[in-house]
Amino acid sequence: MNIKMLTMGAMALAIMTGSALAGNTSALDDPAKMSPFFTDAGMKTLRSEADFKTAWMAMKPDEQKAVVKDCGDTTLNKAHADFCAMAKKMGG
């Protein structure tokens, strides 16, 4: 009986820890969503304003809202300042 309880406790702890670590994601850190806005693979150089607007308009409205929301976070905004400034200009 004790082995079953210990096993169940360990499983519950592993599940809770995994979900807690996974919940800290940002739309700004998703390369698939962000690559259309940058000219390089390292995502350091933004495209022109016209190209940025084209990529912005191709996003779904809920994705745009998620990006603008993430840009409102001071830590994320600091790491993605140029992108966030352009995103706010487009729709935020």
Side-chain angles (χ1 to χ4, degrees):
M1 185 70 168
N2 284 339
I3 292 175
K4 285 183 182 180
M5 293 300 281
L6 288 173
T7 303
M8 292 297 283
M11 292 285 288
L13 182 62
I15 291 169
M16 289 176 13
T17 303
S19 65
L21 293 174
N24 209 7
T25 60
S26 164
L28 301 177
D29 295 325
D30 183 358
K33 288 182 183 172
M34 299 303 292
S35 63
F37 297 99
F38 293 92
T39 61
D40 57 334
M43 292 192 284
K44 299 291 181 198
T45 307
L46 282 175
R47 295 192 182 275
S48 69
E49 188 170 343
D51 290 340
F52 192 99
K53 184 174 184 174
T54 300
W56 182 260
M57 298 310 283
M59 291 177 76
K60 295 176 185 173
D62 60 324
E63 291 173 335
Q64 291 174 351
K65 287 179 186 175
V67 167
V68 171
K69 180 182 176 230
D70 287 346
C71 282
D73 180 272
T74 55
T75 304
L76 290 173
N77 192 328
K78 186 182 256 187
H80 304 280
D82 294 336
F83 175 85
C84 287
M86 189 73 85
K88 288 178 182 177
K89 195 176 193 181
M90 294 294 146

